[in-house]
């Protein structure tokens, strides 16, 4: 199976900060990667698909980049509602594999 | 608006069985493959199973193969995950999720249910 490494596992940041989360894969997955936001008690929400395409309705402060084996989710200016856990998902291989998650906490 | 309503979770003893359901609305259910993803307490997300739009093809993670069975009723827009021989390590919130692209299965999911908690404990 493919190996996914998501970092950091957690971070503390303030409102207005720029935040970057990285996923690295052991195999080239082209651009078959998405990013998801999880909050307790709520349905997970897709933010980015195809590495860099923003889901309709998601604020433009979220962006995705990368290709091949290294991918990044950036939040340009962290807002109070962005404190959550974020996961990457690669779907180029079987089985699809999630990153380990990054918990974004308030500093 | 796409809606997925998970139900059927609860407490079950090791070795027991449980059936999860997912009621879908807001899209042409039979055109889309569907998946289940779970999250154990304090752990990350794990893909569990998937089924094609017609129901003819199913896919399972090694950790549940032979114990879980996924099916769908396209006349009722419902998805069912029958779980047998449950283990303590199956304790998790189970989410049903819609595959993003119509017509074929992939791991790319766009909409999720709110989750259903399964607790396996004596």
């Amino acid at each position: 199976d493919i190996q996914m490494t998501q970092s950091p596992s957690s971070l503390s940041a303030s409102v207005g900060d720029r935040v970057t989360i990285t996923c690295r894969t052991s195999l080239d997955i082209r651009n078959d990667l998405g990013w998801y936001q999880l909050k307790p008690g709520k349905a997970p929400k897709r933010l980015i698909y195809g590495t860099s395409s923003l889901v309709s309705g998601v604020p433009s402060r979220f962006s995705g980049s990368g290709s091949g084996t290294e991918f990044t989710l950036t939040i340009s200016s962290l807002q109070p509602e962005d404190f959550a856990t974020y996961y990457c998902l690669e779907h180029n291989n079987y089985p699809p594999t999630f990153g380990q998650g990054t918990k974004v906490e308030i500093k | 608006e796409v809606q997925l309503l998970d139900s059927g979770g609860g407490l079950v003893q090791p070795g027991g069985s449980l059936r999860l359901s997912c009621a879908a609305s807001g899209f042409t259910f039979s055109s889309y493959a569907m998946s289940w993803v779970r999250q154990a307490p304090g752990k990350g997300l794990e893909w569990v199973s998937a089924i094609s739009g017609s129901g003819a093809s199913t896919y399972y993670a090694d950790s549940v193969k032979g114990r879980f069975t996924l099916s769908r009723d396209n006349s009722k827009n419902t998805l069912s995950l029958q779980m047998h021989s449950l283990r303590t390590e199956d304790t998790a919130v189970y989410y049903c999720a819609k595959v993003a692209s119509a017509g074929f299965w992939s791991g790319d999911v766009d909409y999720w249910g709110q989750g259903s908690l399964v607790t396996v404990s004596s």
Side-chain angles (χ1 to χ4, degrees):
Chain A
D1 291 1
I2 190 171
Q3 303 303 311
M4 291 275 287
T5 304
Q6 183 174 339
S7 60
S9 57
S10 65
L11 62 91
S12 295
S14 301
V15 172
D17 283 354
R18 182 181 182 88
V19 168
T20 299
I21 300 169
T22 298
C23 276
R24 292 184 176 85
T25 61
S26 58
L27 299 172
D28 186 335
I29 62 167
R30 302 185 302 176
N31 71 338
D32 293 336
L33 185 125
W35 291 94
Y36 298 82
Q37 178 190 66
L38 268 71
K39 293 182 177 180
K42 299 185 97 173
K45 180 181 177 181
R46 187 166 78 155
L47 304 173
I48 301 286
Y49 64 95
T51 296
S52 58
S53 296
L54 191 67
V55 171
S56 176
V58 172
S60 59
R61 61 181 179 273
F62 290 93
S63 65
S65 63
S67 67
T69 61
E70 185 159 336
F71 303 86
T72 299
L73 173 71
T74 300
I75 309 172
S76 60
S77 177
L78 199 65
Q79 298 302 302
E81 59 268 31
D82 301 336
F83 292 95
T85 303
Y86 295 85
Y87 289 87
C88 58
L89 166 65
E90 78 81 17
H91 54 88
N92 183 263
N93 295 276
Y94 179 86
T97 303
F98 290 91
Q100 294 84 359
T102 297
K103 186 172 185 178
V104 177
E105 298 175 303
I106 302 172
K107 182 184 275 186
Chain B
E1 179 192 5
V2 172
Q3 287 198 325
L4 299 171
L5 295 176
D6 306 312
S7 63
L11 174 64
V12 61
Q13 292 189 335
S17 299
L18 203 62
R19 187 180 188 92
L20 301 182
S21 295
C22 174
S25 61
F27 63 103
T28 305
F29 184 65
S30 60
S31 294
Y32 290 86
M34 298 290 292
S35 291
W36 286 92
V37 176
R38 68 185 180 184
Q39 184 176 31
K43 303 291 187 182
L45 296 171
E46 178 190 18
W47 175 83
V48 172
S49 182
I51 188 167
S52 62
S54 68
S57 300
T58 51
Y59 311 85
Y60 300 96
D62 287 345
S63 57
V64 307
K65 199 174 294 182
R67 301 187 298 121
F68 289 13
T69 301
L70 183 55
S71 61
R72 64 191 296 159
D73 184 338
N74 286 344
S75 68
K76 296 180 179 178
N77 288 2
T78 58
L79 187 70
S80 295
L81 183 67
Q82 179 68 55
M83 304 182 291
H84 294 295
S85 303
L86 283 161
R87 306 166 180 168
T88 54
E89 55 264 36
D90 295 318
T91 294
V93 175
Y94 286 73
Y95 299 97
C96 72
K98 172 185 164 292
V99 169
S101 299
F104 63 94
W105 179 76
S106 84
D108 184 23
V109 293
D110 50 6
Y111 291 93
W112 301 58
Q114 82 286 354
S116 192
L117 176 62
V118 173
T119 303
V120 185
S121 174
S122 54

